[in-house]
Amino acid sequence: MQVGFIGLGVMGQPMALRLARSGTPLVVWNRTTARTAPLRIAGVEVATDPGEVFARADVVVVMLADDHAVDAILGRGGPLFARVRDRTVVHMGTTSPEYSRALEADIRAAGGSYVEAPVSGSRVPAESGQLVAMLGGDKRDVDAVRPLLAPMCRETFVCGPAPNALLMKLSVNLFLITLVTGLTEAFHFADRLGVDRTMFCDVMAASPMASSVSLMKAPKLLAEDFEVQAAALDVLKNNRLIAQAAQSSGVASPLLDVCHALFEETVGLGHGAEDVMAVLRALEARTGRIAHARAVDFDSSHC
């Protein structure tokens, strides 16, 4: 089965490389051609445009930033959308459940098949094939696609019809966002109160709270290494999607709301392209404002 892969970003590039190295016949395309270089070196065919991918592939994996990018690549709403006919589109990005439901209806109406397959994980798990995929769609289509994901994912979960997979992804991401934000706040708290930073990370690693996420992210905080594994801007996008779903369903999400504000501040400070742990900068800025306010109050009281 010829597989197409469109979208070679922070996640997409290592995912496509995993497919290629597993022997999957692959043709790829990316808007920024420089991102295709490692795939070329691996012997993968690089298409000149998205239309060539659809012309040559039976299954097209789409790993793009948002719904606008997906619509543009598919040619949705115009004559180019006919290229999805007799193709299976595998949507692996994170968009709203409502968007996924509508996209599935349009693809089926055009004679194609659709599977949503968002993944849990960041760049490092993508490089090592340790992602966790959640699949939604018609059972026959899901069963056909599931084996193709094996080189990229250590586990796959069938969640039922679309958009159940995206609802599952948003639920998982709610926990992830609060987890990394809580870790960062604890690190910042310890640091500002004079606790040994290295020992804090060692204690965390030895504690019952340790997880693969904390073991990966705590050293980044210690080194102030914000090389992107999962970008703060992408986390903010996910936060907004979860908040919208919560609000439309009347579900309380107080912890998420606090994280939402912090990631908006992180992006506003210019750290959107850095790793999620750059939320530390928003916490530092808040602490700086508190310190400034206290200094002003102290000066005023001694006038």
Side-chain angles (χ1 to χ4, degrees):
M1 183 182 291
Q2 184 79 16
V3 177
F5 201 108
I6 296 176
L8 304 174
V10 171
M11 295 286 289
Q13 186 190 78
M15 290 166 68
L17 280 168
R18 293 286 307 182
L19 282 175
R21 290 166 181 163
S22 74
T24 302
L26 197 63
V27 55
V28 304
W29 183 84
N30 191 68
R31 182 178 59 182
T32 305
T33 55
R35 298 289 299 176
T36 66
L39 278 301
R40 287 185 187 274
I41 293 170
V44 174
E45 297 179 64
V46 178
T48 57
D49 56 48
E52 184 182 348
V53 175
F54 279 91
R56 297 173 57 184
D58 306 294
V59 175
V60 179
V61 175
V62 179
M63 186 62 175
L64 295 168
D66 54 37
D67 51 0
H68 301 294
V70 175
D71 285 349
I73 290 302
L74 298 181
R76 190 175 177 206
L80 290 178
F81 193 63
R83 59 192 175 199
V84 304
R85 182 177 179 83
D86 297 325
R87 302 292 185 269
T88 299
V89 176
V90 183
H91 172 36
M92 297 195 75
T94 304
T95 57
S96 73
E98 293 79 13
Y99 170 80
S100 182
R101 184 186 291 113
L103 179 61
E104 178 185 41
D106 286 352
I107 288 175
R108 292 198 180 282
S113 300
Y114 176 81
V115 174
E116 58 178 22
V119 292
S120 181
S122 58
R123 177 174 57 82
V124 172
E127 290 172 344
S128 58
Q130 294 297 302
L131 297 172
V132 175
M134 293 142 276
L135 282 68
D138 181 89
K139 185 178 185 304
R140 289 172 299 179
D141 298 329
V142 168
D143 289 345
V145 165
R146 196 176 187 184
L148 296 176
L149 305 183
M152 300 182 285
C153 305
R154 64 180 173 84
E155 282 200 67
T156 56
F157 292 88
V158 178
C159 301
N164 284 1
L166 273 163
L167 289 169
M168 181 67 76
K169 172 66 187 293
L170 296 185
S171 301
V172 170
N173 273 14
L174 195 161
F175 175 62
L176 176 61
I177 291 168
T178 57
L179 176 68
V180 296
T181 308
L183 172 62
T184 306
E185 184 173 330
F187 177 87
H188 178 63
F189 174 85
D191 183 38
R192 291 307 171 101
L193 270 67
V195 172
D196 184 280
R197 291 155 48 114
T198 301
M199 187 177 294
F200 168 81
C201 291
D202 291 342
V203 171
M204 282 294 300
S207 75
M209 290 83 74
S211 67
S212 59
V213 172
S214 67
L215 293 172
M216 182 187 302
K217 295 301 188 181
K220 290 180 75 67
L221 287 169
L222 185 61
E224 295 194 28
D225 167 21
F226 300 137
E227 181 184 0
V228 67
Q229 293 175 346
L233 183 59
D234 291 335
V235 173
L236 176 58
K237 182 198 76 171
N238 278 263
N239 205 314
R240 287 171 175 163
L241 291 173
I242 301 166
Q244 289 166 6
Q247 290 165 8
S248 65
S249 303
V251 176
S253 56
L255 292 178
L256 181 77
D257 296 341
V258 172
C259 296
H260 196 162
L262 282 167
F263 277 99
E264 284 185 333
E265 292 167 28
T266 304
V267 172
L269 289 167
H271 303 290
E274 297 175 10
D275 191 66
V276 56
M277 305 315 286
V279 71
L280 176 66
R281 299 308 188 207
L283 291 164
E284 290 173 338
R286 287 196 182 193
T287 295
R289 290 195 295 271
I290 292 170
H292 176 72
R294 285 183 173 180
V296 170
D297 288 345
F298 179 82
D299 289 343
S300 298
S301 67
H302 287 74
C303 289

